[in-house]
């Protein structure tokens, strides 16, 4: 893969596509209807995500005499994009933050929610345990994903960013 693996996620529509295709396999036409976009545009983004290893061809189907590929996102595929490049990590963080802001505009009023923001110091053993629990929660959430508007489901948003911070420099000291 090229050195800019995470750049594929810089486009906000691609984050939405990955979320959508976690719960079900879809063709570009199906995803376009769900996302309110053109099939041509969604097809372009599908190709970029597939080339980056974030979408898998789940099946090929015949639709109106033609062949269509249905793609699915495996949330574990993101591990292939890990990088030590701070610029790429910044791009990913910006993409996630932008997607969170978009979703926050659709938050259901009066419904239970959880939002935590913290920069603090914890014991390394507790930190390791909390990271493991967050990973398990993420895996459970992705495994429970259903196709859009499935009966008995609710539409939810989840963004988790847990990471160890570098030692504070003089400019960050209180």
């Amino acid at each position: 893969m090229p050195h800019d693996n995470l750049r594929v996620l810089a486009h906000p529509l691609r984050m939405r596509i990955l979320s959508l295709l976690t719960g079900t396999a879809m063709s570009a036409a199906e995803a376009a209807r769900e996302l309110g976009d053109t099939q041509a545009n969604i097809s372009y983004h599908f190709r970029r995500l597939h080339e980056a290893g974030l979408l898998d061809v789940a099946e090929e189907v015949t639709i109106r005499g033609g062949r269509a590929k249905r793609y699915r996102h495996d949330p574990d595929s993101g591990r292939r994009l890990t990088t030590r490049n701070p610029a790429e990590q910044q791009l990913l963080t910006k993409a996630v933050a932008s997607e969170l802001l978009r979703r926050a505009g659709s938050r259901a009023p009066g419904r239970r929610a959880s939002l935590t923001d913290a920069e603090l110091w914890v014991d390394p053993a507790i930190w390791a345990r909390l990271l493991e629990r967050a990973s398990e929660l993420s895996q459970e959430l992705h495994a429970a994903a259903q196709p859009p508007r499935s009966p008995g489901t609710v539409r939810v948003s989840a963004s988790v960013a847990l990471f160890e911070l570098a030692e504070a420099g003089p400019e960050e000291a209180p």
Side-chain angles (χ1 to χ4, degrees):
M1 272 186 245
H3 71 288
D4 61 346
N5 293 335
L6 295 176
R7 292 186 192 282
V8 73
L9 297 178
H11 194 287
L13 184 57
R14 294 182 189 149
M15 298 293 287
R16 293 181 66 197
I17 289 169
L18 293 178
S19 292
L20 179 66
L21 298 182
T22 297
T24 189
M26 288 187 169
S27 68
E30 292 165 327
R33 283 190 294 276
E34 183 64 33
L35 296 170
D37 209 318
T38 66
Q39 180 178 347
N41 192 37
I42 297 298
S43 290
Y44 169 76
H45 292 295
F46 271 24
R47 281 191 305 276
R48 295 290 317 272
L49 290 165
H50 180 66
E51 290 166 0
L54 294 170
L55 289 183
D56 298 320
V57 176
E59 63 182 339
E60 289 195 40
V61 295
T62 302
I63 300 175
R64 295 187 205 112
R67 301 288 293 163
K69 293 178 182 177
R70 283 204 173 115
Y71 292 87
R72 185 167 179 119
H73 172 58
D74 175 4
D76 287 335
S77 66
R79 290 192 175 115
R80 291 189 290 247
L81 294 184
T82 57
T83 180
R84 296 189 192 281
N85 182 334
E88 288 186 3
Q89 289 294 339
Q90 281 295 103
L91 280 174
L92 178 59
T93 302
K94 286 179 183 179
V96 170
S98 176
E99 181 61 6
L100 177 59
L101 286 171
R102 184 195 66 78
R103 290 183 201 157
S106 298
R107 185 175 173 180
R111 298 291 179 98
R112 286 188 63 203
S114 175
L115 177 63
T116 300
D117 179 58
E119 180 177 328
L120 35 82
W121 296 80
V122 297
D123 178 270
I126 292 172
W127 175 243
R129 190 182 83 233
L130 293 173
L131 282 175
E132 182 60 31
R133 286 176 53 198
S135 178
E136 290 169 0
L137 175 63
S138 178
Q139 290 171 10
E140 182 178 348
L141 187 59
H142 281 97
Q146 299 293 313
R149 290 174 248 302
S150 293
T153 63
V154 294
R155 183 175 168 218
V156 301
S157 174
S159 299
V160 179
L162 301 173
F163 47 89
E164 192 170 329
L165 295 168
E167 290 293 324
E171 69 280 353
E172 295 181 66

